[in-house]
Amino acid sequence: MGTLVLLRHGESVWNAEGLFTGWVDVDLSTTGEEEARKGGRLLHDADLRPDIVHTSVLRRAIRTADIALNAADLHWLPVHRSWRLNERHYGALQGKDKAQTRKEYGDDQFMVWRRSYDTPPPPIADDDTYSQVGDRRYADLPPELMPRTECLADVVERMLPYWYDSIVPDLAAGRTVLVTAHGNSLRALVKHLDGIDDATIAGLNIPTGIPLVYDLDDAFRPRTPGGTYLDPDAAAAAIEAVKNQGKK
Ligand SMILES: O=C(O)[C@@H](CO)OP(=O)(O)O
C-alpha cells in the first residue's frame, strides 16, 4: 500500500576522503550537492510527488532532502527527523581512513567491520574527538539507547520502531513517502522490506543520490523485490564504487 522512495544522501566530504563517518555530522561535498539536485530532478521527471519526508538528524541527509525537494519544486513538504534513521554508528572507526584501516587489519577484518551483520567495530571512547556523547541533539535519548558502536543488526533494531510507528502510518494513509537517509540505515530498511537474510545483506550496497522506488502491497512488502532505481545505470556504477571503498 503506497509508494516508498528511498534516497541515500549525496556524497559527503568524508565519503570523498575515504573516511569512516557513522554519526559524525559531516557536510555534503559539492559533488554530493549536485547528486542531491539530480535526485530531485529524477523524482520530478518520473512524476513522483512525495507527500511527506522522513530523514535523520545528520546534516548530509537533511541537506540532501532539502536540495532534492527544491529541485523537484517540493521545498514546502513537511519533513520529520529522527536519530533512528541515522547512519550506523561506526564506533572507534569513526574518522579513520578506510584504505589505511584495511591495510592495517587486513581484508577480512575490514569487511567484517564494514559489512558483517552482527559484529560491531570496537566502541568509541566518550572522550574521542568523534564521540557524540554530550551532543545536544541526543539530549533526550535515554542513556542506554545512545550507541558507542553498532553492527547492522543494531541498526535494524533501532530503525524498525520508526518504520512501524512513523513511516507505515503515512503509507497506510495513502501517502507517497520519501525517506532520505544513509548507506547503512537504508540497508537495514531494505533488508526488512525484501526479507534479505543476514549473510546476503553483506553484498548489498546503496548508491548516493539515486532514488530507489518501492511500490508496496497491503502488507507493506515490495510488489517488485529490490525496488526500482530511477537511474539504473548510474545506480549500478555507483554501487560498484561503494563496494570498492577502501581499496585505493
Ligand atoms: O562511513 C560510513 O559511515 C559508511 C557510509 O559512508 O561507510 P560504509 O559504506 O563503509 O559502511
Side-chain angles (χ1 to χ4, degrees), residues 208-244:
T208 49
I210 306 174
L212 172 59
V213 182
Y214 279 96
D215 271 324
L216 301 175
D217 65 17
D218 288 351
F220 305 101
R221 293 289 169 183
R223 292 188 201 278
T224 307
T228 309
Y229 278 107
L230 288 188
D231 185 343
D233 293 341
I239 285 168
E240 213 39 39
V242 177
K243 209 165 108 190
N244 289 328

Side-chain angles (χ1 to χ4, degrees), residues 43-118:
L43 287 178
H44 183 266
D45 294 350
D47 244 346
L48 266 169
R49 305 262 180 276
D51 300 300
I52 191 151
V53 184
H54 295 271
T55 186
S56 72
V57 294
L58 295 171
R59 190 187 310 268
R60 55 197 189 274
I62 292 169
R63 289 204 59 226
T64 294
D66 203 32
I67 293 169
L69 292 178
N70 199 40
D73 209 20
L74 292 169
H75 47 286
W76 47 271
L77 281 187
V79 179
H80 296 278
R81 300 184 180 125
S82 171
W83 69 275
R84 291 186 184 275
L85 293 175
N86 273 12
E87 180 53 289
R88 170 160 80 104
H89 195 298
Y90 246 113
L93 296 184
Q94 293 192 159
K96 300 257 187 302
D97 185 279
K98 290 184 185 178
Q100 252 166 38
T101 305
R102 181 171 156 263
K103 253 187 240 148
E104 196 175 330
Y105 294 94
D107 285 355
D108 291 351
Q109 182 62 74
F110 177 71
M111 279 319 285
V112 165
W113 282 336
R114 261 194 104 197
R115 290 294 177 262
S116 75
Y117 186 58
D118 47 17

